[in-house]
Amino acid sequence: METLLLLFPQFSFTAQKEEVYFRMLGPGATQAAKMKEDSSRQKDKERTSRLSLFLAKSGSHENVSPHKTTNSTANNVSPELALRWSDSFEELLSHSDGVEVFSQFLRKEFSEENIEFWLACEEFKTIDSRTKMLSKAKYIYTVFCETDSPKEINIDYNTRMAIQRSMAKPTKGCFEAAQQQVYNLMKKDSYPRFLLSDTYLHLTRRRGPGATMFRRRSRSCVFNERGEAAC
């Protein structure tokens, strides 16, 4: 290569030096150089793809602290409304503010993919356009249902395979079984913890001094003036 540099001093970059060198060796060597370059480009694309997937998986959790307070949406929720959310999980999800606060709680638990998937399915069922339905179905499958997807949800194998097969011709009910599994998981696992979380108690304890007990007929919890729950 030193001889090459003396003959062609204008080539200062490694890639350029290799190209000239292979040209000197003949057509066969030039083809080998091209194959080497294509292989290198393919490896770069694969690395970029893996990096993008990693960022997609980790980005939603970025700068999330378990002790981070709720945002302005939660701060505008009245204690009366917050107490209604303890009646049932269905009551919580029937309020947009309830969905937002619950989403914040799941984000702190690093499981916000569950509510995001559920909401995406609710939106999917309202789509009438066949073209839009196909596009939305592929998006939901790629983001939430496919193995190793960026926000993979916890569903059983048979349900996952059924969704995969339906992607060729998706229907409004193609995510129904998976949505029900995720709904049950949130209702039985996340929702009870939400009612006892600082996120929720922060809202229900916002009462003036002098109040002794805030009781509400609830199938879930009763809260006292300190925001403590008796379930």
Side-chain angles (χ1 to χ4, degrees):
M1 294 300 293
E2 292 179 356
T3 303
L4 180 63
L5 287 174
L6 291 174
L7 293 174
F8 303 95
Q10 66 273 29
F11 298 104
S12 57
F13 297 97
T14 302
Q16 292 175 320
K17 288 187 281 187
E18 289 183 354
E19 182 181 356
V20 174
Y21 175 72
F22 282 113
R23 284 179 181 175
M24 293 173 63
L25 293 180
T30 302
Q31 182 64 25
K34 186 177 184 303
M35 292 175 62
K36 179 180 178 182
E37 181 180 357
D38 292 342
S39 176
S40 177
R41 288 178 179 174
Q42 182 62 31
K43 289 180 180 179
D44 288 341
K45 289 181 179 180
E46 292 174 356
R47 283 194 295 268
T48 301
S49 178
R50 287 195 296 269
L51 177 59
S52 298
L53 180 60
F54 171 77
L55 291 175
K57 283 186 174 182
S58 61
S60 61
H61 306 314
E62 186 178 359
N63 297 325
V64 175
S65 169
H67 306 292
K68 191 174 182 180
T69 58
T70 56
N71 65 11
S72 57
T73 300
N75 292 332
N76 291 330
V77 174
S78 68
E80 292 79 10
L81 177 58
L83 284 171
R84 289 174 59 184
W85 299 343
S86 67
D87 283 351
S88 67
F89 187 50
E90 293 77 10
E91 180 72 20
L92 172 68
L93 295 185
S94 68
H95 297 268
S96 59
D97 288 339
V99 172
E100 175 62 27
V101 175
F102 185 60
S103 298
Q104 293 169 13
F105 168 74
L106 293 182
R107 192 171 299 118
K108 294 176 183 178
E109 290 206 331
F110 301 100
S111 59
E112 71 270 24
E113 68 276 1
N114 292 326
I115 190 65
E116 290 178 9
F117 170 72
W118 186 83
L119 291 171
C121 290
E122 289 295 288
E123 179 186 357
F124 175 75
K125 289 185 288 187
T126 66
I127 299 175
D128 294 323
S129 168
R130 182 64 189 171
T131 302
K132 291 181 179 180
M133 182 183 294
L134 179 61
S135 175
K136 185 68 173 181
K138 288 183 176 179
Y139 168 81
I140 294 175
Y141 173 73
T142 302
V143 174
F144 298 103
C145 303
E146 192 173 27
T147 302
D148 293 329
S149 53
K151 297 185 177 182
E152 184 180 356
I153 55 174
N154 184 16
I155 55 178
D156 64 72
Y157 175 81
N158 291 332
T159 301
R160 195 182 305 276
M161 290 300 100
I163 294 174
Q164 182 180 16
R165 291 190 295 269
S166 70
M167 285 301 97
K169 202 171 184 180
T171 64
K172 286 192 176 183
C174 63
F175 297 109
E176 187 172 347
Q179 186 183 16
Q180 188 61 48
Q181 288 184 28
V182 169
Y183 180 88
N184 291 338
L185 178 63
M186 291 191 295
K187 181 177 181 177
K188 295 178 181 179
D189 184 56
S190 301
Y191 176 60
R193 288 201 307 277
F194 168 74
L195 295 178
L196 298 174
S197 69
D198 290 340
T199 299
Y200 183 65
L201 296 179
H202 170 75
L203 302 177
T204 59
R205 70 161 59 101
R206 294 172 64 190
R207 293 279 187 165
T212 56
M213 179 71 74
F214 312 115
R215 290 190 175 272
R216 180 179 179 83
R217 295 195 172 202
S218 169
R219 294 189 296 271
S220 302
C221 296
V222 175
F223 297 90
N224 62 20
E225 60 182 342
R226 295 185 298 277
E228 297 171 341
C231 299

